[in-house]
Each structure stands twice: as C-alpha cells, then as structure tokens.
C-alpha cells in the first residue's frame, strides 16, 4: 500500500532517510474512538522466536541531559523530531502541532516492572511516542505494551501503512495490555503509542515488548 508522509515531527532521530508514515488519523480511522478494544483478539496464541527487541522497553533510561522527573515538552516551532523523556522513544504531535509533554515517573504497572514508566500528555490527537525500527520485512512480530489512560483514548500499532493492525484502549483509570501482531502482509517498522482523542489526553505507558513470532496468514 502507498505510504504517505505525516507531519515533519514523525521521522527518524538517527541520521538517515526520513521515515515515511501514514497519518495516524487515517491509519486509525477504521476503528472509531470509543469502540471496544480488539486487543484480546488482535493476536492468537504464539510462541516467541526472539527475546525482547524493543529499545528501552521498560522506559528505565532517561534521554541524555534529562533527569528523571523532569518534564520535556515540544510546541509548534521547536526543533523536531523531539525526543521524549525516555531514551530511544521520540515524541509525535498532531499535524496541527499541538503541545506534547513527557516525563519519567515511578512505575505502578501490574506485574514485573522496573522503577519508572513514561507519562505522556497530548494537546490533541496523534500525540504520543514512537520508536523507528529496521527489521526484516519477511518476518512477523508481536508488539505489546501496558497503558493506563487518565484522559483520551490510546491506540498502538507496529506498521505505518494504512490498514495495518491496531489495538485501542477501552478503559479509563485502569491498566490495559494492548497487543498487535503482523504477518507477511504488514511488516513491523515502528512502535507507535498515541492518543487519538481530538480533545487531547494523558496516559502512562510501560512494559513494551517486541518479539518475533511465527508467520500466520
């Protein structure tokens, strides 16, 4: 499928070609806000073929020159792409350039977790964090993350092409584990976690996992 460029904020942090992605609003438009999360059925039972491949998956490592607990924000006109408070995760704003902020806070995630989790505030839709990837396109992967939404609705995806698998939160004030899996039709090229409420949102995220799985068509 055709890939289209989103805003200038959503690109690689490393030196190299710009990551071309479809607008999150169009990527997720097929699932209306407020719909029940398909997370439970997004992935059948799989066994893993790899360890966790995500960078800084527990959001334990702060971005250089940012102390734990410090809020790092981006507003329209600032340099982009903006790093989040967590090393290896880049912030993304809406195409309108709504203000976005993040910081590392003590983790309260269910199950085994590290010391910190990432808090994110989005001034509009599409506000969130992502991690660009370079993985073999002929392999399949599961992307999983724990999310706690205080306001808004969060979606995750691991492919930047319109029509790729998406999982949505369905709760406010409760932890949810979201999962998406790819196959030969959709490669895994970015880990995206974003609020999709046009009125903005606030959420916490922790325990990201990216693992290779067997291909099932």
């Amino acid at each position: 499928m055709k890939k289209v460029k989103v805003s200038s904020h959503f690109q690689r942090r490393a030196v190299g070609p710009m990551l071309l992605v479809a607008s999150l609003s169009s990527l997720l438009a097929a699932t209306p806000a407020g719909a029940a999360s398909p997370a439970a059925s997004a992935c059948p039972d799989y066994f893993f073929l790899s360890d966790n491949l995500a960078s800084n998956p527990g959001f334990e490592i702060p971005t250089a020159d940012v102390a734990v607990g410090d809020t790092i924000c981006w507003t329209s006109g600032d340099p982009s792409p903006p790093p989040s408070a967590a090393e290896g995760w880049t912030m993304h704003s809406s195409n309108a350039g709504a203000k976005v902020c993040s910081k590392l806070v003590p983790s309260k995630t269910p199950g085994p977790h590290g010391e910190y989790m990432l808090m994110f505030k989005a001034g509009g839709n599409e506000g969130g964090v992502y991690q660009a990837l370079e993985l073999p396109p002929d392999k399949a992967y599961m992307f999983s993350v724990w999310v706690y939404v205080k306001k808004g609705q969060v979606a995750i995806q691991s492919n930047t092409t319109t029509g790729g698998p998406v999982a949505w939160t369905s709760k406010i004030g409760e932890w949810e584990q979201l999962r998406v899996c790819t196959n030969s039709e959709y490669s895994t090229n970015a880990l995206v976690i974003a609020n999709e409420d046009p009125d903005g949102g606030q959420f916490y995220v922790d325990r990201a996992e990216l693992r290779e799985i067997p291909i099932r068509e």
Side-chain angles (χ1 to χ4, degrees):
M1 291 188 178
K2 182 179 179 181
K3 294 182 181 180
V4 295
K5 181 179 176 183
V6 67
S7 69
S8 60
H9 321 309
F10 205 158
Q11 52 185 296
R12 296 184 189 275
R13 293 183 60 198
V15 176
M18 181 179 296
L19 177 65
L20 299 182
V21 300
S23 168
L24 292 181
S25 58
S26 62
L27 279 168
L28 307 178
T31 306
S37 172
S41 59
C43 298
D45 291 334
Y46 282 110
F47 59 88
F48 299 136
L49 301 177
S50 74
D51 293 330
N52 194 349
L53 301 175
S55 176
N56 195 14
F59 303 91
E60 293 297 290
I61 306 171
T63 292
D65 301 323
V66 176
V68 171
D70 286 353
T71 301
I72 180 170
C73 295
W74 180 92
T75 56
S76 182
D78 289 345
S80 61
S84 76
E87 178 65 33
W89 296 88
T90 302
M91 292 195 294
H92 180 257
S93 178
S94 66
N95 289 335
K99 183 177 180 179
V100 291
C101 297
S102 65
K103 69 176 178 178
L104 295 181
V105 298
S107 178
K108 298 180 181 179
T109 314
H113 58 77
E115 190 172 355
Y116 306 113
M117 60 184 177
L118 185 71
M119 184 279 291
F120 193 91
K121 288 185 178 180
N125 69 320
E126 301 184 19
V129 291
Y130 71 95
Q131 186 173 118
L133 302 169
E134 293 184 3
L135 294 171
D138 59 345
K139 294 185 177 181
Y141 298 89
M142 181 207 74
F143 172 39
S144 169
V145 69
W146 284 82
V147 182
Y148 182 102
V149 178
K150 291 192 68 176
K151 175 187 176 183
Q153 186 177 31
V154 172
I156 71 166
Q157 60 195 57
S158 59
N159 181 279
T160 57
T161 302
T162 302
V166 179
W168 293 76
T169 57
S170 60
K171 302 175 182 179
I172 297 290
E174 295 183 46
W175 283 100
E176 290 184 89
Q177 184 183 26
L178 304 184
R179 296 183 301 156
V180 289
C181 293
T182 55
N183 55 20
S184 62
E185 183 176 0
Y186 296 104
S187 62
T188 295
N189 50 37
L191 306 181
V192 182
I193 309 162
N195 168 69
E196 278 301 308
D197 189 324
D199 294 326
Q202 179 178 343
F203 62 90
Y204 300 87
V205 60
D206 202 358
R207 295 179 58 188
E209 289 188 68
L210 176 66
R211 299 180 187 272
E212 184 184 349
I213 56 176
I215 293 179
R216 294 185 185 177
E217 305 301 342

